[in-house]
Amino acid sequence: GAVVSQHPSRVICKSGTSVKIECRSLDFQATTMFWYRQFPKQSLMLMATSNEGSKATYEQGVEKDKFLINHASLTLSTLTVTSAHPEDSSFYICSASGVAGGSYNEQFFGPGTRLTVL
Amino acid sequence: QQQVKQSPQSLIVQKGGISIINCAYENTAFDYFPWYQQFPGKGPALLIAIRPDVSEKKEGRFTISFNKSAKQFSLHIMDSQPGDSATYFCAASRRAGNTGKLIFGQGTTLQVKP
C-alpha cells in the first residue's frame, strides 16, 4: 500500500516557539492531504484539508493563523504550530489521498507526531 | 447529521471469540465506510472498507456488515487474537463534490484476553 511519513515523530518545545511538522507521501502523488489532531483516548479531529498549490480549508474552530498549512508539492505538506502553548500538546496525524494512492476516498495515514509544549 | 456514532466504547473478548463493533450514521449521502485500526502511539491503518451497494465484505478474519435501510454498519473480527488488541474507528465519507473528508466515530478500545 501507499506510504506516508511524518517528521519528526516526537518534538518537545518551549511555550511561545513555533514547530513545523512535515508530511510526505513516499510512493504516490497526494492531491489532497489532511491534518488531524488526537487527544488521549479520543477520536481523530480533522483540522484542515489541503490541496496541492491552493490554500488549506480549515474546519470550524481551528485557528488558521495558529496552524499554518502549506501543501507546496504533490508529495509534501507541512503544518506549523505557531507560538505553541501547552494546550497545543497533542498527537498530530496527517493523511494523504491521490490518484495512484488507492481507491477513491482512501486515505493513507502517517505515523503521527507527538508534540509536547512545556 | 454529519455524526457517526460508534459503540461500544470498550470491548473485552477472549482469544478465539468474535469481536463486534457497531456504527450508525445519519447522512444518507455517505457512500464510503472504512474501518481503521490504531495501535498506541501510531497512526490509524485502513483495515477494510465497504460501499453501500453491497451488504457484506469479508477480508480474512474481518467482515463488514452493512445495513443501508437502518443506516448502520458493523465490524466483526472472527477468531480474535491478542494481537488484535487496539483501538478501532469507523468512518464515513461521500464522494460527490467532496475531497473525501472522513467523519470518524468515537472509537472502540478492544482488548483480547489470551
Side-chain angles (χ1 to χ4, degrees), chain B residues 20-23 35 63-67 72-76:
Chain B
I20 302 174
I21 305 170
N22 301 297
C23 283
W35 284 90
T63 300
I64 298 180
S65 296
F66 185 82
N67 186 328
Q72 295 176 348
F73 59 110
S74 60
L75 175 69
H76 295 232

Side-chain angles (χ1 to χ4, degrees), chain B residues 22-41:
Chain B
N22 301 297
C23 283
Y25 63 97
E26 289 293 326
N27 190 345
T28 54
F30 287 146
D31 57 5
Y32 176 68
F33 304 90
W35 284 90
Y36 290 88
Q37 179 188 57
Q38 185 180 31
F39 293 103

Side-chain angles (χ1 to χ4, degrees), chain B residues 2 8 16 67 113:
Chain B
Q2 282 288 86
N67 186 328
K113 289 193 169 183

Side-chain angles (χ1 to χ4, degrees), chain A residues 56-72:
Chain A
T57 301
Y58 290 81
E59 294 298 301
Q60 193 172 11
V62 177
E63 300 174 59
K64 60 181 179 181
D65 294 331
K66 180 167 185 62
F67 299 99
L68 301 178
I69 292 171
N70 183 278
H71 192 165

Side-chain angles (χ1 to χ4, degrees), chain B residues 87-106:
Chain B
T87 299
Y88 292 82
F89 293 96
C90 64
S93 74
R94 60 179 178 87
R95 283 182 287 178
N98 193 33
T99 55
K101 184 166 73 172
L102 289 168
I103 308 298
F104 280 90
Q106 295 82 0

Side-chain angles (χ1 to χ4, degrees), chain A residues 4 23 25 28-35 48-52 71 73-74 77 94-99 106-108, chain B residues 98-101:
Chain A
V4 176
C23 176
S25 57
F28 70 101
Q29 294 184 324
T31 51
T32 306
M33 285 186 168
F34 305 83
W35 286 95
T49 302
S50 73
N51 292 293
E52 185 263 341
H71 192 165
S73 76
L74 285 172
S77 176
C94 72
S95 70
S97 65
V99 174
E106 185 170 353
Q107 291 184 29
F108 298 93
Chain B
N98 193 33
T99 55
K101 184 166 73 172

Side-chain angles (χ1 to χ4, degrees), chain A residues 10-27:
Chain A
R10 185 180 298 266
V11 57
I12 301 172
C13 69
K14 291 182 179 180
S15 184
T17 61
S18 294
V19 174
K20 180 183 283 189
I21 302 170
E22 291 186 348
C23 176
R24 293 181 185 273
S25 57
L26 299 185
D27 52 4

Side-chain angles (χ1 to χ4, degrees), chain B residues 2 5 14 35 38 41 49 70 80 97 105 112:
Chain B
Q2 282 288 86
K5 295 183 179 179
Q14 289 294 129
W35 284 90
Q38 185 180 31
S80 299
V112 181

